[in-house]
Amino acid sequence: MDSPTRDRPADVPAHHQQAGAAIPITIGFRDPSDMLQRLAAPTPLATSPALDPALDPALPRWYALLLRSHALAAPATFDTLLAPSVLYDRVRPHPYQLRVVEQVLREKAPAAILADEVGLGKTIEAGLIYKELALRGLVSSVLVLAPKALLSQWQDELRERFDEDFVLTDEKRFSGFDREPRIICSLPQFVRSFDHIAIRSWDMVIVDEAHLLANPESKRRRCAGLLRARWRLLLTATPVANKVTDLYSLIDLVAPGKLGTRREFENEFVADAATCRIVRPDRLAELRAIVAQVSCRTRRADAEIPFAGRTVYTRDIAPTSAEDALISDVTNYLRALYRRLPAPARNQRGRTSAPAAERSGPRINRGAVIREIMALQQSLSSHPRAIEQSLRRRAESHADERDILLALADRCQTAASAKERLLHEVLADLKGEPALIFTLRLETAAHLREAIRARGSTAECYIGALSRLEREALVARFNAGEISALIATDAGAEGLNLQQRCHVVVNYDLHWNPMRIEQRIGRVHRLGQSRDVSVYNFALSDTIDDYVLRLLYQKINLFTMTVGALETVLSEVQEGELDLEERILDALLRADSPDAIRREVEALGDELVGADQRQHEAISFTERVLA
């Protein structure tokens, strides 16, 4: 038998030991049945030192765990949820979310469609259901399927709110579908790797934006139907996005055969066989009753969520002359670097996909080069001090470009930052109001901290390198009024909640991933905020950030969209191997003039507008069918 420590059973996280929290029974064992077999073994106590009370004072505690394992090995009743108390310091679910969790576990197990209206937190509900099952030892292997644009969002949510580490399939640490217990996979990757995924049986499969499985003829839908899984959760605000048969496809995934064959479903419930857009009026109530048996749907009007307002200020400023010249020359360098890569192929819809060089012939790690260019571009948009350090680091590993890189880096030392001057003006206008300031680069954060201090104010950096205790101490000082400005990087902002004192967010550097922007604002614009939130977005005039703000984000009213609506829109414009950030970078570095860049960004904005319109139409159609 494994020997646990005296302080607490092996592998039990500290947050599970808080008062009133339920201790998971999987500690040191594979599952409850394993615990039963090993603790209830007929080995005499006198001949087993590990079970001798004289040698092991903790034996009564293990006996108590044995009794609990007997109870948990019995059919689950879910009379009392364990997850909310265990996760108390991480997530505070709304009452309607707890109702959904209870309905799924008690009434709809082992499969359900979570069909809440957009922005009501279906991810939270799915996470709570998973965590409840995991705490009871009922679920171990989990596969999350989602559009590529939402993969990192899922990983962050599961880590931050549910203390669960899921691996993305494109991470270096990913060891294979047959080895990893908790995986997040894109829908295209799911289809490509289905033979490897389908080898095993999964305890739980979660599909986000599940309306993408509505077409029963699509390969992804067929693959999803062939997966072996004990639990299935399908998440979508629009289960009937285009046709009534969309609903059939999803219900047949969670309750196979419940609606008969597709032909039988159409004959019984569809009034217009040609378009499948109208439900027979005399069968509508019956269809809604069937849907209610396998799905949970909360409407915004029923949620009663009190939320503060939000005001957005876009502040652009012309770069200094030295800064403008530096941006132009570094962009030309990045453009030349980018154009040495194989151009992405174009499919029949005009959208980009993986470059031909990656599909055949010598494989080029285009992704690694793109990430390096993206980091350099972020430094360039951030501050002269940030791009200086990035250029010098690159010079160390690229001897053939050393002279040009160092020459550009030297120019950074004399280039003043217009955005930095703008920040001081905004902070002065705030008259001492606490502010959360987001940057993309560590060098920028450190420089701004010293610049703010030099003007007689207080500032600290909240970055990923800080330990948990250091972060908690920093937040306590900020909430106590000892710090006026907290400068955070996106890597450091995980789990940062400042709604108690702060209502100002400054996007000093614009992130090209809209979900990251929303996550930043969510650090203060969350339940418990008593004041309207002010969001300041900075950009240098006539630069790529300026175009993204005016021609893309403002075009879709990004800063007033709900998170759920934003997720759906982004999933639609995701194309092939390029995500939204890479498409913006492609527009910047492929174009030859500012006018061409503007046209590219505006065209991307039009795509987002079209996706948003389609979403509203799908929502309207769903409401007509489901009420």
Side-chain angles (χ1 to χ4, degrees), residues 383-616:
H383 196 281
R385 301 299 173 271
I387 188 60
E388 177 188 1
Q389 295 302 314
S390 296
L391 292 171
R392 294 192 188 281
R393 283 194 295 268
R394 181 170 173 80
E396 293 175 0
S397 58
H398 293 76
D400 57 326
E401 301 176 1
R402 178 181 174 83
D403 290 342
I404 185 173
L405 289 169
L406 292 181
L408 288 169
D410 289 342
R411 289 170 54 186
C412 297
Q413 295 179 343
T414 57
S417 170
K419 277 203 302 185
E420 182 181 335
R421 185 174 77 246
L422 179 60
L423 176 64
H424 292 309
E425 292 175 2
V426 168
L427 292 179
D429 291 341
L430 291 174
K431 302 183 186 305
E433 285 282 356
L436 175 60
I437 304 167
F438 278 99
T439 70
L440 290 170
R441 314 307 297 174
L442 289 169
E443 298 89 350
T444 304
H447 178 84
L448 293 180
R449 177 188 59 195
E450 301 309 315
I452 293 172
R453 287 176 175 177
R455 290 177 173 250
S457 190
T458 52
E460 292 290 352
C461 293
Y462 191 96
I463 59 178
L466 298 177
S467 68
R468 179 179 60 84
L469 293 177
E470 288 172 327
R471 294 184 187 210
E472 291 175 354
L474 200 53
V475 170
R477 290 176 57 203
F478 183 80
N479 286 334
E482 299 176 18
I483 303 171
S484 295
L486 200 59
I487 307 166
T489 59
D490 289 292
E494 205 172 89
L496 181 61
N497 301 322
L498 301 177
Q499 70 273 20
Q500 295 179 25
R501 176 173 177 246
C502 182
H503 67 99
V504 176
V505 175
V506 178
N507 288 312
Y508 182 90
D509 293 332
L510 184 70
H511 206 297
W512 291 351
N513 183 338
M515 287 306 303
R516 292 293 186 188
I517 294 287
E518 185 56 41
Q519 286 171 344
R520 291 174 173 184
I521 300 171
R523 302 302 99 194
V524 301
H525 196 193
R526 58 197 306 115
L527 196 64
Q529 177 61 259
S530 59
R531 304 175 62 180
D532 286 351
V533 171
S534 296
V535 180
Y536 292 84
N537 298 313
F538 288 3
L540 294 174
S541 304
D542 294 319
T543 63
I544 184 64
D545 287 351
D546 187 22
Y547 303 152
V548 168
L549 266 176
R550 290 190 289 108
L551 303 178
L552 197 152
Y553 290 168
Q554 290 182 5
K555 201 166 193 176
I556 61 170
N557 295 317
L558 167 70
F559 299 98
T560 60
M561 291 180 72
T562 64
V563 174
L566 178 57
E567 289 174 343
T568 301
V569 169
L570 289 179
S571 69
E572 278 214 31
V573 300
Q574 173 72 54
E575 49 173 89
E577 300 300 317
L578 299 184
D579 59 22
L580 184 63
E581 294 174 79
E582 291 169 343
R583 293 188 66 189
I584 294 172
L585 186 69
D586 182 66
L588 170 66
L589 300 181
R590 190 164 44 82
D592 292 314
S593 67
D595 284 342
I597 297 172
R598 282 194 292 269
R599 288 195 298 272
E600 291 275 356
V601 175
E602 190 163 21
L604 183 54
D606 290 339
E607 282 191 46
L608 290 174
V609 169
D612 189 37
Q613 291 174 344
R614 288 190 293 275
Q615 183 192 29
H616 283 292

Side-chain angles (χ1 to χ4, degrees), residues 26 32 72 74 76 78 132-140 203 230-231:
T26 55
L72 291 173
F78 302 105
E132 186 70 28
L133 295 170
L135 288 171
R136 295 170 181 267
L138 301 176
V139 161
S140 178
D203 292 334
R230 293 169 55 198
W231 287 80

